[in-house]
Amino acid sequence: MKLKVRLRQRHFRCIGLPFLLLLLTRFKYAETCSNESFPTQFVKVKFTTQVVKNEYIVAFNAYYKSQAREKFIAAALNGLDDRHWKIIARNNPASDYPSDFDVVTLEEAENSQDGLDALRLHPAIRRVTPQRMVHRSLHFENETDFLGDADNSTNTESFERWQSSRPMKRLSLAVNKQFWQSTGRHTSRRLLRAIPRQVTAILQADALWHMGITGAGVKVAVFDTGLAKTHPHFKRIKERTNWTSEKTLDDGLGHGTFVAGVIASHRECLGLAPDAELHVFRVFTNNQVSYTSWFLDAFNYAILKRIGVLNLSIGGPDFMDHPFVDKVWELTANKVIMVSAIGNDGPLYGTLNNPADQMDVIGVGGINFEDQIAKFSSRGMTTWELPQGYGRVKPDIVTYGAAVRGSAIMGGCRTLSGTSVASPVVAGAVALLASGVLHRGNILNPASMKQALLASARRLPGVNMFEQGHGKLDLLRAYQVLNSYQPQASLSPSYIDLSECQYMWPYCSQPLYYGALPTIVNVTILNGLGVSGKVVNKPAWHPYTPQFGHNIDVAFTHSEVLWPWSGWLAVSIAVTRAASNWEGMAQGHVELTIESPPEDGETEPRRSTVRLAIKAKIIPTPPRHKRILWDQYHNLRYPPGYFPRDNLRMKSDPLDWNGDHIHTNFKDMYQHLRNGGYYIEVLGSPLSCLDASQYGTLLIVDPEEEYFPEEVAKLKRDVDAGLSLVVFADWYNVSVMRKVKFYDENTRQWWMPDTGGANVPALNDLLSPWGIALSDSVHEGSFNLGEHEMYYASGSSLLKFPESGVVVSRSLKDQGLEILDSDADSVSKTVPILGLLQSRPNEVEGDDATTEKIFSSPSGRVVVYGDSNCLDNSHLQKDCFWMLDALLEFTSTGHMPSIFKDNSAKVTFPSSDEPLPQRMEGNHLYRYSKVIENHMGTMRTRELPACPHLVWAKPQPLNTSAPSNLYKAQKLLSVGVEGDLPLWRVAPGAAQVDVDRDFGGGLGVDMMDSLAEEEGIALLDLAPALLVISLAAAAVLLACRCYRSRTRPRRKRVTRLRRLMAVLNAGRAPTV
Amino acid sequence: MWAAALLRFIRKRIVLGIIFLFSLTYCIVSFMKEGSSTTSYEIDTLPVRPLDRSFLWHSPKDDLNATDMKVSACRNSVQGKVLIVDDRGYVCSRGNVLPNGCCNIDAENTKRYSCETCKESGCCSIYEYCISCCLHPDKKQVLENVLGKASETLNVLFASVTDHFELCLAKCRTSSQSVQHENTYRDPKAKHCYGEIPIAGS
């Protein structure tokens, strides 16, 4: 007999429900309380039975004691040798009592039934049956396996992805306009099952709903493209306002509807906080235009209306839009909890969007339903702090943002992806949580909410903190943390383990050593004590003596005032001189106290002390030739100024805005060099601050900044003393620069670039001591260097190079000409693109003493390549990391790789009085430069800034040690309600929140139900009209049928009915 | 009997036609209605707030006698980094805010109607001083002018303001009037204005 029992994975609440197994018929379990439709599993129960040879169950016609039963059997089998039969003893508590059967082994000859017959004939024996052995096996099967591969497309179903690719504007983080509303989508079962899971179910929001927490009493503002007043999904649209130039309050795009739906929809595709009070702010036109000034007024209104939670599914790269940034601070200072999308510019690093990258805002990244970071989610550190400092950790938290279901513009549901989807998931969660702690009075503020979310988030394995922040949103844990929250300060990240891979990437990718520039960790202080606070005294550094904490030096800088609700603490870590040859781990902790003015009738200032554990891996200082210095100081980027892209073909992305840091858009290059055994440090100060004797090579890639004359002179001296210089330049052509100016819709003015891809005239100043110069021509094309395919994407060429050097030339197109005159035929010509030079100290020929000295102290080497795109992740087509390796081999050892020697050619450079490229007339570089300033209309060099000087904190050693694994779930101080929260104490069958959806129905029916529902939804909007039409059509049809039925004889339906009955009966009959 | 009659009546072609036509017209009409009903309402048509008697102008007399009875509670500006201003026009440091939300008048640095950092033009560099200055009874005329000339979007804002303090809170915030080229302040040094914002040629 074969039996199939179909079960559905059910919610924990269902466990108390009666649970039946019917053995003979196919059983459909009526699910009454779960809305989870994925994943479906079956339990297959298999029975196999077999007759056990020679064992029989002898049943008597009454209950007898065992001795009596034995006598009966002996009497019946009288004559049979008693070696041939035996009663199997049953050792159980029942054996003392009379029984009505025995198990007997009866050995008989083949084909002989004598013994059996004799038994059957005995008057006290009712029946003799063979003993059977029953095997029952249970196993789980996924429905997908069960149905074959009909469902493979579940997650690969193509869905629309919303992305922002125009960083100029503050974009809604969602772009495409087509909806996939093809009606065919829901007609087959397969497609229906491809519909992604309800995000509320995955986050277990229903557990909170059942506790009566539904978002009631919280004002949620949605800043987006508007929302229709009559949309059927929303219960409480309190107010709608329009701040755009379009005279409508309705959503013409679908973005605003979707976002509002994820927060507060109460039908079909559910939102997290169905009872929250919605305030809809329309700040985007249907063409996705929006201006800072619209936002300013709308934000002011939000403050006036005392909004509690504000969702901004928008963002842009301009974190230097001061009026906007100030206004966001002002909002959070007024206790508005801001939730914003981190951006859709991933997987490139350095792509964080404002305002999500602000400390006071909850920045949300996206993951898919497999808990992987969604490809589109922006990531990398913040770039506000460059070049001197290091970026903060963002996003703060991640949640589902790919293929999430939400409300469609005309009612019904649709699926969207993007961080603008993830942001309202968190905003809805925040609204829900906020409504759950309303009874706790004043504890709720932007900091406490953020602290609770971060402390409760679940870390995703193998993903670094610059991608996932604190991890995945955990709604229920966040509720528990928040419910017991006590005002306090906390840190993000909450500990520093520089050796922990993958989470602490990039810190974990390079150990510390003596002589290195200090490693900076930018920690965000979240201050739940009050909107304004300060760090009391100085943070104290406690190295752990048993764990070699004394081998590191720590220095601090922090914000003067922590406002609003947050501030930063920069921890600079370096190795002490004493440990220059030491290898091992050093540990310790930092302690700091935060203070805020008293609140809620208190008289004493509020104080909170936090600890920051520190752990670092230390190695002996690597040899000089393995150490590379990356020049960050001379890299400028948007914002503030217009620094154009390095690849002129990428017209969709006009700006160079990823920070040009080894941990942002040069990340792959960094990783490649680390794998090659090089150690890379970042110089955030002028070249004059550099201790050249420490490094083998200085890497200057794509620099936009000018150089101080002191730097030019210092670099020449350093190279003479053995430092090598590698320059990757980029295009610079005044005519092309004028051509790529554009009208910026947001600032409503023309934007003229202040440099080219790189600042070639400034580079020429820097390289002049070696007689090297770059041209202002722009070249593009593919070529081969040895076996390697290379792509030159908008670069310059060499204009001058010393005779003694090795120069590589290739045939490239003149892209400058193409851009200036689109009709012109592309002209290819052979241009020098790479030059390698073994430098010699200044030629003071004739002086024997000095010439001798030259050869005794080998000076450094200089390499110049005309294009930086092959190192930059931004628009990387073909990388040239192999070439960088070869160049570094040359600069660090002086050995010229054969690939350059073989491909070099004699180039006749134009005479030395050929004019060099000039800076663009009237450029505004001085506005953004740290080097030059405008003095009465002429440019002049600023005063050389002082080199950074760190004051190391005085160590206060402790004779303790800490566990080597610092990561544990962050614990916030709490009042004593932790532990048993009424979360799980919901009676099965507790009244449902008035969410208009029937989750019931048997399995098969359930599917059909949702099918009908899906179609019903689409129809719902055209409701009355369609209804009437269908009514009319029905009437007409009916009439026709009546006419026909009169003329034709009735068809016999009996046969069909019978067949149906037969099928039904067959279905019920046992198959074995 | 009557049922059969009804059925026969319904089966008539003319009756069916009438039903069909009726539904069609209803359908068309309802479509038209839906199209026009969803356009602008709510905030777009909010009236400009009349400065009638319901608007509570602040006057120092309010709390002259109140000081004797002790003010029970104050609203204040909430957001300040260092300073707080209460609805009586006192500016004090954050540490001097009493549990009831009022500034401690006895504290050394507490000032009333302070126009520190404010210019002649009615613009100040610090938000709290702007409010304090704005609450001065002399500024009533200036504020009435502002309300009279406010742009459409700002009217939305001022429409929900109920008294002098709220008006000052709202007016002193940076707004669409404070920026040029969208992403820069017209005057970064005096961006909080209680008066009309001068058309700056910065």
Side-chain angles (χ1 to χ4, degrees):
Chain A
M1 192 175 78
K2 217 170 188 179
L3 211 138
K4 238 179 277 163
V5 181
R6 239 176 169 195
L7 291 179
R8 309 253 332 254
Q9 264 203 350
R10 281 155 317 111
H11 218 264
F12 52 88
R13 283 179 287 113
C14 297
I15 284 165
L17 286 177
F19 186 79
L20 285 173
L21 274 177
L22 293 185
L23 292 177
L24 289 172
T25 53
R26 207 163 199 229
F27 171 63
K28 283 176 192 167
Y29 187 75
E31 190 183 46
T32 51
C33 65
S34 169
N35 55 350
E36 246 190 65
S37 57
F38 272 67
T40 317
Q41 282 189 330
F42 297 94
V43 180
K44 256 190 175 175
V45 187
K46 272 186 183 165
F47 283 86
T48 51
T49 64
Q50 62 193 89
V51 176
V52 181
K53 207 183 165 197
N54 292 344
E55 272 186 26
Y56 301 94
I57 298 169
V58 179
F60 303 91
N61 48 18
Y63 286 82
Y64 304 100
K65 290 228 170 201
S66 55
Q67 292 95 338
R69 294 196 313 259
E70 199 180 336
K71 272 182 195 154
F72 290 142
I73 293 170
L77 295 175
N78 195 12
L80 227 77
D81 191 338
D82 56 0
R83 274 174 305 175
H84 289 146
W85 66 271
K86 204 175 112 202
I87 295 173
I88 294 174
R90 283 172 293 149
N91 257 330
N92 56 33
S95 44
D96 296 340
Y97 299 95
S99 174
D100 67 340
F101 77 99
D102 260 322
V103 181
V104 177
T105 54
L106 186 63
E107 280 173 35
E108 285 181 298
E110 293 275 314
N111 302 325
S112 161
Q113 293 257 322
D114 299 351
L116 270 185
D117 293 340
L119 274 176
R120 280 186 185 125
L121 284 173
H122 193 276
I125 292 174
R126 186 161 47 111
R127 190 175 64 228
V128 179
T129 47
Q131 165 87 309
R132 279 172 178 270
M133 188 150 69
V134 179
H135 288 272
R136 185 165 52 178
S137 58
L138 272 171
H139 63 274
F140 287 87
E141 264 184 30
N142 282 329
E143 195 168 16
T144 40
D145 309 334
F146 191 69
L147 296 174
D149 54 3
D151 200 48
N152 279 348
S153 58
T154 305
N155 295 304
T156 50
E157 204 61 49
S158 68
F159 52 80
E160 171 184 16
R161 206 188 110 187
W162 294 64
Q163 55 178 351
S164 89
S165 52
R166 281 175 293 160
M168 271 313 299
K169 282 185 212 162
R170 179 162 282 110
L171 279 176
S172 94
L173 288 176
V175 183
N176 291 344
K177 280 172 198 149
Q178 325 100 331
F179 299 179
W180 57 253
Q181 283 176 333
S182 58
T183 44
R185 202 179 162 81
H186 301 315
T187 50
S188 83
R189 185 160 180 244
R190 186 182 69 85
L191 284 171
L192 182 67
R193 292 184 59 240
I195 287 170
R197 290 181 270 183
Q198 193 74 245
V199 78
T200 49
I202 302 172
L203 292 174
Q204 301 182 333
D206 34 6
L208 293 181
W209 295 343
H210 278 277
M211 291 167 62
I213 300 169
T214 53
V218 178
K219 293 181 180 178
V220 183
V222 179
F223 275 60
D224 224 291
T225 56
L227 178 64
K229 188 174 195 175
T230 51
H231 198 287
H233 289 181
F234 300 97
K235 270 199 270 190
R236 292 192 188 162
I237 304 179
K238 179 79 177 178
E239 183 180 35
R240 302 186 303 154
T241 47
N242 176 32
W243 304 89
T244 69
S245 53
E246 287 178 347
K247 290 258 174 256
T248 174
L249 289 155
D250 293 338
D251 181 11
L253 210 60
H255 192 259
T257 310
F258 190 94
V259 166
V262 172
I263 295 174
S265 161
H266 75 115
R267 297 177 63 177
E268 305 172 42
C269 27
L270 303 176
L272 284 145
D275 284 327
E277 199 175 273
L278 269 188
H279 293 250
V280 180
F281 289 71
R282 191 170 188 275
V283 287
F284 267 91
T285 65
N286 289 336
N287 300 324
Q288 303 187 41
V289 176
S290 125
Y291 295 100
T292 298
S293 57
W294 295 353
F295 274 103
L296 296 182
D297 291 343
F299 279 148
N300 283 342
Y301 192 64
I303 298 176
L304 192 71
K305 287 285 168 186
R306 295 178 198 282
I307 295 297
V309 183
L310 198 157
N311 181 69
L312 269 171
S313 283
I314 55 144
D318 189 2
F319 59 80
M320 288 194 177
D321 182 346
H322 292 296
F324 186 87
V325 172
D326 289 349
K327 188 56 78 181
V328 172
W329 284 338
E330 196 175 330
L331 273 161
T332 46
N334 283 285
K335 282 199 167 186
V336 181
I337 302 172
M338 299 278 285
V339 182
S340 184
I342 201 71
N344 291 344
D345 302 296
L348 184 64
Y349 273 56
T351 49
L352 303 180
N353 280 214
N354 180 266
D357 63 347
Q358 290 183 216
M359 287 187 280
D360 52 329
V361 176
I362 301 168
V364 186
I367 55 174
N368 61 20
F369 287 113
E370 278 81 54
D371 282 357
Q372 294 152 335
I373 300 291
K375 191 161 175 269
F376 54 75
S377 188
S378 288
R379 60 199 77 189
M381 60 182 181
T382 59
T383 53
W384 301 32
E385 295 81 4
L386 299 178
Q388 292 88 352
Y390 195 83
R392 284 169 287 115
V393 174
K394 279 279 174 176
D396 292 303
I397 196 166
V398 291
T399 194
Y400 305 102
V404 170
R405 261 160 62 86
S407 307
I409 195 166
M410 299 296 286
C413 296
R414 62 189 294 213
T415 306
L416 272 189
S417 297
T419 49
S420 58
V421 177
S423 170
V425 171
V426 171
V430 165
L432 197 57
L433 293 170
S435 77
V437 294
L438 283 179
H439 64 279
R440 296 209 51 212
N442 240 342
I443 64 134
L444 195 70
N445 59 51
S448 64
M449 180 57 79
K450 189 167 171 178
Q451 287 174 324
L453 290 180
L454 301 195
S456 62
R458 289 197 188 268
R459 186 183 286 186
L460 305 175
V463 180
N464 76 50
M465 59 182 177
F466 293 106
E467 293 184 7
Q468 66 163 322
H470 287 252
K472 184 175 80 163
L473 169 71
D474 186 328
L475 182 63
L476 297 186
R477 280 220 302 198
Y479 174 71
Q480 288 175 319
V481 171
L482 199 62
N483 203 28
S484 58
Y485 177 83
Q486 191 185 326
Q488 63 194 289
S490 69
L491 303 173
S492 161
S494 54
Y495 67 98
I496 301 172
D497 183 349
L498 298 181
S499 65
E500 185 189 356
C501 266
Q502 189 57 242
Y503 189 68
M504 288 274 173
W505 189 94
Y507 294 113
C508 70
S509 60
Q510 182 170 308
L512 305 190
Y513 46 84
Y514 172 69
L517 291 167
T519 297
I520 306 169
V521 184
N522 192 342
V523 180
T524 301
I525 306 171
L526 298 171
N527 178 21
L529 304 176
V531 60
S532 177
K534 60 174 192 246
V535 178
V536 193
N537 301 324
K538 282 179 184 152
W541 161 233
H542 297 286
Y544 296 158
T545 316
Q547 288 176 322
F548 310 101
H550 50 271
N551 283 337
I552 46 179
D553 273 330
V554 177
F556 307 103
T557 44
H558 57 79
S559 356
E560 283 294 305
V561 183
L562 311 178
W563 182 90
W565 309 104
S566 55
W568 51 268
L569 166 73
V571 183
S572 306
I573 305 168
V575 177
T576 56
R577 180 189 289 272
S580 57
N581 282 311
W582 186 75
E583 181 166 355
M585 291 282 183
Q587 274 184 256
H589 80 253
V590 175
E591 201 164 88
L592 70 160
T593 304
I594 315 292
E595 185 183 280
S596 280
E599 259 176 60
D600 295 340
E602 299 156 346
T603 48
E604 291 298 306
R606 294 176 159 194
R607 279 192 174 210
S608 174
T609 302
V610 276
R611 268 187 187 198
L612 180 72
I614 294 181
K615 182 181 172 191
K617 182 169 196 275
I618 298 171
I619 55 163
T621 309
R624 179 183 182 183
H625 70 269
K626 280 287 179 194
R627 291 177 62 184
I628 298 171
L629 193 63
W630 172 268
D631 176 23
Q632 189 67 39
Y633 191 77
H634 296 93
N635 287 347
L636 300 179
R637 46 86 171 96
Y638 172 86
Y642 175 16
F643 294 97
R645 59 192 179 268
D646 300 327
N647 181 347
L648 285 164
R649 285 229 179 279
M650 297 298 150
K651 289 192 177 139
S652 58
D653 191 6
L655 299 165
D656 194 355
W657 66 289
N658 303 127
D660 286 349
H661 191 276
I662 54 169
H663 298 153
T664 60
N665 52 327
F666 288 96
K667 170 178 169 276
D668 286 0
M669 180 207 75
Y670 165 75
Q671 206 59 56
H672 181 86
L673 291 179
R674 278 297 301 133
N675 294 344
Y678 290 100
Y679 293 82
I680 306 140
E681 293 163 41
V682 177
L683 180 69
S685 48
L687 298 177
S688 50
C689 300
L690 142 78
D691 175 9
S693 66
Q694 299 262 347
Y695 304 96
T697 307
L698 173 69
L699 204 51
I700 300 180
V701 179
D702 186 24
E704 287 88 0
E705 180 65 287
E706 296 284 335
Y707 298 88
F708 290 104
E710 292 89 339
E711 288 182 292
V712 178
K714 169 85 170 8
L715 188 63
K716 170 67 179 152
R717 283 201 307 276
D718 287 343
V719 171
D720 287 348
L723 179 76
S724 291
L725 174 67
V726 173
V727 175
F728 279 75
D730 221 295
W731 68 274
Y732 187 98
N733 181 293
V734 174
S735 312
V736 172
M737 281 158 66
R738 290 191 202 283
K739 185 80 182 178
V740 297
K741 76 172 180 180
F742 66 92
Y743 186 75
D744 174 23
E745 284 287 339
N746 195 32
T747 59
R748 308 185 209 213
Q749 55 186 335
W750 281 96
W751 273 46
M752 181 74 82
D754 297 309
T755 69
N759 191 345
V760 165
L763 264 180
N764 285 344
D765 289 349
L766 186 74
L767 295 171
S768 60
W770 296 280
I772 301 173
L774 290 151
S775 77
D776 62 355
S777 51
V778 185
H779 301 286
E780 187 244 348
S782 297
F783 61 92
N784 283 312
L785 195 56
E787 296 164 350
H788 302 276
E789 283 182 19
M790 299 280 282
Y791 177 63
Y792 209 73
S794 315
S796 64
S797 59
L798 293 173
L799 189 64
K800 284 189 201 171
F801 208 82
E803 293 260 321
S804 60
V806 168
V807 174
V808 177
S809 300
R810 280 296 177 268
S811 172
L812 296 170
K813 276 188 288 187
D814 190 335
Q815 194 183 20
L817 212 64
E818 254 174 67
I819 285 174
L820 295 176
D821 181 6
S822 48
D823 299 331
D825 294 329
S826 56
V827 189
S828 287
K829 70 180 177 186
T830 304
V831 285
I833 50 172
L834 173 68
L836 302 101
L837 176 74
Q838 169 67 57
S839 82
R840 312 238 176 278
N842 276 346
E843 50 288 342
V844 255
E845 279 158 54
D847 191 334
D848 293 328
T850 33
T851 23
E852 208 167 289
K853 205 179 153 201
I854 293 165
F855 295 111
S856 63
S857 69
S859 56
R861 290 149 284 272
V862 179
V863 175
V864 180
Y865 184 65
D867 181 32
S868 70
N869 285 289
C870 60
L871 298 178
D872 186 341
N873 284 130
S874 300
H875 301 294
L876 193 62
Q877 284 166 342
K878 285 191 190 95
D879 73 64
C880 57
F881 300 146
W882 69 270
M883 184 173 82
L884 185 61
D885 286 342
L887 296 177
L888 288 173
E889 185 195 333
F890 170 64
T891 58
S892 55
T893 65
H895 168 254
M896 176 73 68
S898 56
I899 188 154
F900 302 128
K901 231 186 289 174
D902 300 346
N903 286 286
S904 68
K906 203 85 198 133
V907 180
T908 35
F909 287 102
S911 61
S912 59
D913 35 282
E914 176 85 3
L916 292 176
Q918 292 302 302
R919 290 173 176 85
M920 187 169 73
E921 206 66 27
N923 75 69
H924 295 132
L925 186 64
Y926 66 89
R927 289 185 186 164
Y928 321 113
S929 171
K930 301 178 285 293
V931 177
I932 53 169
E933 62 185 346
N934 187 359
H935 181 71
M936 320 280 276
T938 54
M939 297 309 128
R940 69 169 189 195
T941 314
R942 290 172 195 256
E943 209 173 302
L944 187 70
C947 292
H949 177 68
L950 286 172
V951 182
W952 303 112
K954 194 170 170 286
Q956 300 163 25
L958 293 177
N959 192 15
T960 55
S961 51
S964 57
N965 180 18
L966 293 179
Y967 171 59
K968 53 177 187 280
Q970 195 187 342
K971 254 225 147 80
L972 291 180
L973 292 175
S974 61
V975 292
V977 269
E978 222 182 354
D980 272 356
L981 280 168
L983 259 185
W984 322 109
R985 286 198 220 127
V986 185
Q992 289 230 357
V993 201
D994 46 348
V995 171
D996 284 358
R997 191 184 155 117
D998 178 19
F999 297 128
L1003 182 80
V1005 186
D1006 188 28
M1007 289 291 184
M1008 299 310 288
D1009 269 353
S1010 43
L1011 175 74
E1013 226 171 57
E1014 292 294 331
E1015 285 186 336
I1017 294 151
L1019 295 178
L1020 213 90
D1021 292 294
L1022 308 166
L1026 278 173
L1027 213 88
V1028 171
I1029 289 179
S1030 52
L1031 199 84
V1036 171
L1037 274 171
L1038 200 82
C1040 285
R1041 268 253 289 286
C1042 286
Y1043 269 107
R1044 276 187 202 168
S1045 63
R1046 246 188 237 165
T1047 50
R1048 266 190 236 163
R1050 272 171 190 267
R1051 277 178 68 187
K1052 277 194 179 174
R1053 289 193 193 152
V1054 192
T1055 45
R1056 202 198 281 172
L1057 225 152
R1058 248 185 216 157
R1059 209 180 300 149
L1060 200 76
M1061 291 301 290
V1063 167
L1064 276 175
N1065 285 336
R1068 222 168 257 167
T1071 46
V1072 176
Chain B
M1 195 55 202
W2 59 270
L6 189 74
L7 215 67
R8 219 176 303 133
F9 176 69
I10 286 174
R11 275 180 201 160
K12 278 185 186 158
R13 217 169 271 179
I14 180 85
V15 177
L16 282 169
I18 287 168
I19 292 175
F20 179 72
L21 278 177
F22 173 75
S23 1
L24 195 75
T25 36
Y26 176 77
C27 157
I28 289 165
V29 166
S30 67
F31 260 125
M32 303 278 261
K33 221 161 102 193
E34 201 162 352
S36 59
S37 67
T38 47
T39 44
S40 61
Y41 48 96
E42 291 179 30
I43 234 62
D44 274 7
T45 51
L46 258 183
V48 179
R49 185 180 182 85
L51 290 176
D52 50 19
R53 267 174 230 146
S54 69
F55 192 89
L56 298 170
W57 287 105
H58 168 77
S59 95
K61 285 176 204 151
D62 291 351
D63 46 70
L64 265 186
N65 36 11
T67 34
D68 306 330
M69 323 189 307
K70 293 269 184 208
V71 220
S72 57
C74 301
R75 287 166 295 159
N76 64 38
S77 59
V78 182
Q79 65 181 64
K81 198 174 193 167
V82 185
L83 298 173
I84 285 286
V85 57
D86 68 16
D87 58 359
R88 301 169 302 168
Y90 288 102
V91 183
C92 58
S93 74
R94 265 202 166 273
N96 290 328
V97 179
L98 300 170
N100 61 4
C102 301
C103 275
N104 182 359
I105 337 174
D106 305 326
E108 198 183 334
N109 293 321
T110 306
K111 286 177 216 141
R112 195 176 204 191
Y113 305 138
S114 168
C115 289
E116 256 184 80
T117 74
C118 296
K119 292 181 177 176
E120 284 290 300
S121 59
C123 292
C124 320
S125 56
I126 293 173
Y127 179 60
E128 283 74 18
Y129 286 123
C130 174
I131 296 167
S132 182
C133 195
C134 166
L135 279 170
H136 195 288
D138 291 356
K139 302 294 190 298
K140 188 176 166 181
Q141 191 56 48
V142 181
L143 289 170
E144 278 173 350
N145 282 345
V146 167
L147 285 178
K149 289 180 190 169
S151 70
E152 201 180 319
T153 45
L154 287 182
N155 267 331
V156 174
L157 201 67
F158 296 144
S160 18
V161 162
T162 54
D163 71 353
H164 194 169
F165 179 66
E166 280 188 6
L167 178 63
C168 289
L169 273 183
K171 186 67 195 71
C172 280
R173 294 190 199 283
T174 55
S175 71
S176 55
Q177 307 295 305
S178 327
V179 292
Q180 58 181 357
H181 303 308
E182 301 293 333
N183 64 355
T184 43
Y185 289 117
R186 283 189 182 165
D187 183 355
K189 293 204 178 78
K191 51 187 185 259
H192 302 288
C193 302
Y194 58 83
E196 266 177 84
I197 296 164
I199 309 300
S202 60

